[in-house]
Amino acid sequence: MMQQLGTYIAENWSDILLALWDHLKISVIATVITLVIALPLAVVLMNRRRAGEIVLQIASAIQTIPSLAILGILIPFVGIGTVPAVIALVLYAIMPVFQNAYTGLTTIDPELTEAAEALGLPRRMKLFRVQIPLAMPMIMSGIRIAVVMIIGTATLAALIGGGGLGTYILLGIQTNNDAALIVGAVLSAALALLASGLIKVLSRVSLKSLGIGVLVMAVIFGGLGIGTSVASRVAQGEKTTVVIAGKMGGEPELLINMYKDLIEASDPNVAVELKPNFGGTSFLFKALKSEKIDIYPEFTGTVLQSLVTDGTSAGGKAHVSHNPATAYKDAAAALTAQFDMTYLKPMKYENTYAVAVRTADAKKYDLKTVGDLAQISQNFSSAFDPDFYQQSDGYPGLQKTYGLKFSSAKTMEPSLRYEALADGKIDATDAYTTDPQVKQYNLTLLKDTKSFFPPYQGAPLMNASFASAHPKVVAALNKLAGKISDEDMREMNYRVTVNHEKAATVASDYLSKNGLV
Amino acid sequence: MIQFDHVTQQYDDTVALKNLNLTIESHELFVLVGPSGSGKTTLLKMVNRLNEPTSGRVLIDGENVADHDLNDLRQHIGYVLQTGALFPNMTVEQNAGIELDVLGWKPERKRKRVRDLLNRVGLNPDKFCDRMPSELSGGEAQRVGIVRALAAEPLMILMDEPFSALDPVSRKQLQDLVLQLHEELGITVIFVTHDMSEAMLMADRLAIMRKGELQQCGTPAEVMAKPANEFVRSFFLDRAADSRYLSNIVDAGFGVDLRNNPASSDVSWSRELSASDTVVDLAAAFHAAPRSGVKMGNHLLRQSDLIAYLASISAERKGEEAAK
């Protein structure tokens, strides 16, 4: 494990540093905005107790909304990326900062307040020389709570394409990569501890030097931000930038790297910016609609089942044809009609459900199709992913269509079922056709000759306006149409998620081997 | 001169001050005394507008305080609170000089002023300037509080029960200090206390208050000689009831023995009283002729002896009560 972690860090350290920097940036921006809102609010409201109590109630109420819900609410208004992440973080952090500052300022010994008044101190002086210094321990503890919370919660930014250390946590969960998970979790925890310690030290520093320090930090961060954005703009020069995003995991990352290589090879004036592990289906689709991204790879089955409707006013689910060519045609037509999007030709491979058996058994019993398995299924035990086991388009339908009669059929944790099959604990299970474990455990996938499973073919999705404006990009991407077999994809997935090779390397290997670039 | 002109203070249903008229002369050490709830602190805080009267006016040298710029008014009136109320985030020097910061004094001048005043109140500046309030005793903190009030050379100082939280020894020292400073600086002092003996000891003149109403106003001797009503009499004289004969004063060691003191042979006295006369007779004598002495047997008694005696028996009584 330690060795695996070491290799992972060694191979990805520059990306990890970048994510750490992103994380820090999001956290600092959120903290600064929080302070700018919450502290003056507390100062203004300290002499208006009723309004202060109301604000406290509102801040507490916001605190109780789950963070995912806040992110979901924000997307239609501010889109995806760092902005909604920062807004959500600020909404959460206002409460501890405001509450502590307000309480600190309103619980100062009344004798001291009276003394300050009787001395005829002007308002500003009373505030900065007496009230704020006396409330400082409370204010600082509020800020400490907020910063630790911000750094922890900022991991959620990854869900909506905001980047940061959360990317590694999500990646780790999605691809079962413990090294990535540990890198993300440990670094964000360490960052939180470090920040908390730093604030503890800062709370002993005088108000004046603290103000100067914050100002310097703001200038540094602001300067860096402007600097990098200017630098990147200068570096890109005249080039057109195309932004391509991918869903979570190794396979989308492979695909978008291929897109990048193909596009850049065909048109040197185009620079492609990749956003791997950008989020889930609905995030990506919304990002494309709002033109935050230009292209992302999507599956035909997903388009028909979750993105488009059947075209009637009732907006029911689209019919899913079990013929891959028809499914693609339906999906492309619906996307054009309903969203004015262009769906390019799909690749060959299908990432769909399949029935897997051990290769030894397949040879022994001469099993090639699910129909072959049905003949002898009474001798086989089976276990399935719980969802697959229950859905009518999963095991129950499959059983009916092929007349399967397993000696036993149980549910099993999805991550365990391949290993259980390889170890002989079960004899058949459901699988995804491009899962690298098929290769890793030497399994055989049986052909779905009756086309029971809906087709899941991948193809680049973009807005129609983008497609017509960039014919060269379209031509470059169309080179992948009909390419990449299930076997190829499994092989590449194996190299990326099991061997931890870089997606970019594996992608360019494939393209050059097949003469596509 | 400070005039309270038909001053009333009302909070919801309760009347804290009822149509009160009172004049305090410049350079006077004036004491407002009365039990808690008498309205003495409410009255004091009207001078620097920590309280605004519901009706009536407060005039300083004929000018209504309500017409003054608030901060300017307060910057020229020193204020000493019960506990010193030093700001815990500042050193002694910063606390003492904060008013001078407001007034824009240059650092060197400010420093000199603060050090000078610290010396005057008996605190060594080299030792105390950099201390934090948490490192001071109650008496030391109150001395710094007095320095803070005096720093900006105010026209007057308001003191709100300044010594009530101190131990008897510190209290005595600070009472003497305030009397001495008043003497030296000639500044107007308005001093609030609930302790009659402290009032007697400190006051040039005093006003006795009860439930928002003025009971009597005058010098200690006047009040003692002619209490205006039963409340003043009991508040003032019951403490001395058991030991009110002049022989008790002499026995307690007050007064000058004319036999042992040849230098005092030329001292004049206006009246002669006997050992069985009471303190009230003595007070009446001083009321008639405040500056001259009274002869009792072989002893010469002055007004200060009477006041010191009454203060001492009152302190004794407090000790007894505390012991019980």
Side-chain angles (χ1 to χ4, degrees):
Chain A
M1 184 64 233
M2 282 315 292
Q3 199 186 347
Q4 197 189 337
L5 188 63
T7 336
Y8 186 81
I9 293 171
E11 280 172 4
N12 295 285
W13 69 272
S14 64
D15 288 344
I16 293 172
L17 278 185
L18 216 64
L20 186 67
W21 175 244
D22 275 348
H23 202 94
L24 200 64
K25 221 164 50 183
I26 295 173
S27 305
V28 169
I29 292 170
T31 305
V32 169
I33 296 176
T34 304
L35 298 187
V36 166
I37 295 173
L39 293 181
L41 198 63
V43 168
V44 168
L45 295 181
M46 72 178 163
N47 294 322
R48 297 173 180 82
R49 299 296 168 99
R50 187 166 297 182
E53 294 302 320
I54 292 171
V55 170
L56 213 52
Q57 291 300 325
I58 295 172
S60 310
I62 292 174
Q63 197 88 4
T64 62
I65 306 173
S67 40
L68 268 177
I70 288 198
L71 292 176
I73 293 164
L74 286 173
I75 288 168
F77 299 106
V78 294
I80 55 163
T82 37
V83 177
V86 168
I87 293 177
L89 291 176
V90 168
L91 285 176
Y92 279 119
I94 280 180
M95 150 85 180
V97 175
F98 176 77
Q99 185 182 32
N100 277 269
Y102 180 75
T103 311
L105 288 168
T106 50
T107 53
I108 293 170
D109 181 354
E111 270 229 318
L112 295 178
T113 320
E114 189 179 285
E117 275 171 29
L119 283 162
L121 298 191
R123 257 179 67 91
R124 271 173 57 106
M125 198 164 159
K126 184 176 155 195
L127 187 65
F128 287 105
R129 295 271 309 261
V130 178
Q131 290 169 312
I132 290 180
L134 290 179
M136 211 53 186
M138 284 288 277
I139 294 176
M140 276 310 204
S141 89
I143 294 176
R144 234 172 113 189
I145 295 169
V147 166
V148 169
M149 203 178 71
I150 283 176
I151 292 175
T153 316
T155 51
L156 284 173
L159 280 176
I160 50 170
L165 294 170
T167 314
Y168 287 91
I169 296 176
L170 276 186
L171 187 68
I173 293 168
Q174 302 256 346
T175 62
N176 212 4
N177 184 341
D178 290 341
L181 190 64
I182 289 170
V183 165
V186 168
L187 278 182
S188 60
L191 199 60
L193 283 176
L194 202 73
S196 168
L198 193 69
I199 292 168
K200 201 173 178 184
V201 173
L202 284 180
S203 56
R204 295 197 205 100
V205 176
S206 81
L207 196 59
K208 205 174 187 178
S209 32
L210 203 66
I212 294 170
V214 167
L215 212 67
V216 168
M217 284 281 284
V219 168
I220 291 175
F221 268 89
L224 276 177
I226 293 165
T228 46
S229 72
V230 167
S232 65
R233 226 160 272 165
V234 168
Q236 281 159 16
E238 312 274 291
K239 286 189 173 184
T240 330
T241 307
V242 173
V243 181
I244 304 179
K247 296 186 194 177
M248 307 301 304
E251 187 174 311
E253 195 177 350
L254 273 164
L255 292 177
I256 61 174
N257 272 290
M258 289 187 197
Y259 292 0
K260 176 183 161 90
D261 289 356
L262 288 169
I263 293 168
E264 290 183 344
S266 73
D267 187 346
N269 286 327
V270 173
V272 174
E273 187 186 335
L274 292 187
K275 291 185 180 291
N277 300 305
F278 198 56
T281 300
S282 62
F283 282 125
L284 278 148
F285 193 67
K286 279 176 185 159
L288 183 65
K289 258 201 302 195
S290 59
E291 298 182 358
K292 292 259 167 20
I293 60 174
D294 298 316
I295 304 167
Y296 84 90
E298 185 55 282
F299 289 111
T300 52
T302 310
V303 171
L304 292 170
Q305 292 203 312
S306 14
L307 297 179
V308 300
T309 59
D310 59 1
T312 64
S313 55
K317 257 195 177 179
H319 167 74
V320 184
S321 166
H322 287 229
N323 178 317
T326 317
Y328 165 71
K329 251 184 231 157
D330 291 350
L335 281 167
T336 307
Q338 292 170 29
F339 296 103
D340 200 19
M341 284 180 183
T342 301
Y343 197 30
L344 301 186
K345 296 232 163 53
M347 294 162 288
K348 182 180 180 193
Y349 81 90
E350 284 187 44
N351 185 355
T352 183
Y353 292 113
V355 177
V357 295
R358 287 181 295 274
T359 303
D361 281 352
K363 279 188 183 142
K364 186 170 164 195
Y365 298 105
D366 193 22
L367 300 175
K368 290 204 173 66
T369 67
V370 182
D372 294 343
L373 178 62
Q375 306 290 324
I376 53 155
S377 59
Q378 64 277 9
N379 301 326
F380 277 52
S381 65
S382 65
F384 303 101
D385 173 326
D387 286 341
F388 182 84
Y389 184 76
Q390 282 172 6
Q391 292 163 2
S392 61
D393 58 350
Y395 178 65
L398 185 74
Q399 189 189 23
K400 234 200 251 159
T401 308
Y402 286 100
L404 292 167
K405 299 186 196 71
F406 292 116
S407 63
S408 72
K410 298 175 289 188
T411 64
M412 185 175 270
E413 187 56 33
S415 57
L416 299 176
R417 65 197 202 280
Y418 290 122
E419 210 176 328
L421 179 58
D423 290 351
K425 296 205 176 77
I426 54 173
D427 303 314
T429 188
D430 61 305
Y432 291 111
T433 46
T434 59
D435 271 355
Q437 288 91 338
V438 173
K439 176 182 157 75
Q440 189 183 359
Y441 293 116
N442 195 17
L443 307 176
T444 293
L445 299 180
L446 302 177
K447 282 214 171 67
D448 174 23
T449 47
K450 296 188 180 177
S451 293
F452 170 75
F453 295 119
Y456 281 82
Q457 280 186 298
L461 182 59
M462 63 195 77
N463 287 306
S465 54
F466 178 87
S468 54
H470 299 85
K472 278 188 179 173
V473 170
V474 173
L477 292 178
N478 272 335
K479 285 187 186 169
L480 272 183
K483 296 289 184 333
I484 311 180
S485 66
D486 288 9
E487 189 62 50
D488 293 337
M489 200 66 233
R490 270 201 297 275
E491 171 69 29
M492 287 190 280
N493 281 342
Y494 183 81
R495 284 175 64 184
V496 172
T497 53
V498 181
N499 289 352
H500 300 300
E501 287 184 58
K502 284 211 161 176
T505 320
V506 178
S508 76
D509 280 358
Y510 177 85
L511 293 178
S512 52
K513 207 190 284 171
N514 292 273
L516 294 168
V517 289
Chain B
M1 190 169 68
I2 301 145
Q3 290 164 283
F4 296 92
D5 176 21
H6 298 283
V7 168
T8 295
Q9 177 85 60
Q10 196 158 1
Y11 303 106
D12 300 325
D13 317 335
T14 55
V15 181
L17 287 175
K18 286 177 206 155
N19 194 30
L20 189 138
N21 290 295
L22 179 66
T23 301
I24 296 171
E25 300 296 336
S26 294
H27 314 296
E28 208 170 22
L29 200 166
F30 192 92
V31 176
L32 294 167
V33 61
S36 61
S38 59
K40 55 194 188 299
T41 297
T42 308
L43 192 66
L44 180 81
K45 287 179 177 176
M46 280 177 183
V47 178
N48 64 357
R49 288 174 60 194
L50 287 172
N51 273 339
E52 305 272 3
T54 314
S55 67
R57 298 181 304 164
V58 180
L59 307 168
I60 297 179
D61 295 335
E63 271 186 71
N64 191 341
V65 292
D67 298 337
H68 267 87
D69 173 73
L70 185 62
N71 284 339
D72 183 66
L73 175 80
R74 288 175 176 173
Q75 285 155 18
H76 291 95
I77 300 177
Y79 190 63
V80 180
L81 291 89
Q82 196 169 19
T83 59
L86 302 180
F87 301 118
N89 55 314
M90 301 178 199
T91 63
V92 164
E93 188 177 356
Q94 287 168 332
N95 261 294
I98 187 161
E99 188 100 272
L100 304 180
D101 289 339
V102 179
L103 296 173
W105 283 36
K106 294 220 164 64
E108 212 26 68
R109 186 171 166 224
K110 183 178 83 181
R111 196 176 157 75
K112 192 169 171 302
R113 172 75 177 157
V114 168
R115 291 178 69 89
D116 179 45
L117 283 174
L118 282 174
N119 269 324
R120 267 183 185 248
V121 300
L123 297 177
N124 179 354
D126 295 329
K127 232 168 102 186
F128 281 91
C129 268
D130 293 330
R131 286 211 192 161
M132 298 307 283
S134 58
E135 299 167 300
L136 302 178
S137 71
E140 289 164 347
Q142 198 52 283
R143 283 170 202 258
V144 177
I146 292 171
V147 170
R148 183 173 68 181
L150 286 173
E153 295 168 338
L155 303 168
M156 75 182 86
I157 293 195
L158 312 179
M159 305 184 94
D160 186 8
E161 307 220 12
F163 310 139
S164 61
L166 299 180
D167 63 274
V169 176
S170 305
R171 186 186 310 145
K172 183 80 187 68
Q173 289 172 343
L174 277 156
Q175 286 167 344
D176 291 344
L177 175 67
V178 168
L179 285 171
Q180 182 199 333
L181 286 172
H182 175 248
E183 181 110 331
E184 288 171 12
L185 302 173
I187 189 173
T188 312
V189 177
I190 308 180
F191 189 105
V192 163
T193 180
H194 61 265
D195 180 345
M196 197 64 209
S197 61
E198 185 170 68
M200 302 248 306
L201 181 71
M202 304 290 291
D204 288 336
R205 287 198 307 143
L206 51 84
I208 296 134
M209 295 181 61
R210 183 196 184 203
K211 293 185 179 167
E213 284 177 291
L214 187 63
Q215 303 295 314
Q216 192 172 2
C217 180
T219 64
E222 279 168 0
V223 173
M224 196 162 33
K226 288 188 183 166
N229 57 34
E230 200 41 48
F231 171 76
V232 175
R233 178 189 296 283
S234 61
F235 189 68
F236 204 34
L237 285 180
D238 267 10
R239 296 180 190 287
D242 311 342
S243 25
R244 61 165 78 158
Y245 298 106
L246 298 193
S247 55
N248 297 121
I249 302 181
V250 173
D251 291 348
F254 293 97
V256 178
D257 192 332
L258 296 170
R259 290 167 303 181
N260 304 345
N261 209 332
S264 60
S265 56
D266 54 7
V267 170
S268 67
W269 57 87
S270 61
R271 265 190 83 176
E272 198 163 345
L273 293 173
S274 75
S276 57
D277 284 325
T278 64
V279 288
V280 176
D281 298 322
L282 183 60
F286 288 137
H287 179 39
R291 295 281 159 206
S292 50
V294 169
K295 185 166 182 282
M296 197 286 291
N298 292 322
H299 282 75
L300 180 72
L301 294 171
R302 293 181 176 283
Q303 185 165 345
S304 59
D305 292 322
L306 172 63
I307 289 167
Y309 171 67
L310 289 174
S312 76
I313 59 172
S314 142
E316 258 168 45
R317 284 185 152 243
K318 257 191 210 155
E320 281 163 24
E321 275 164 28
K324 274 177 205 163

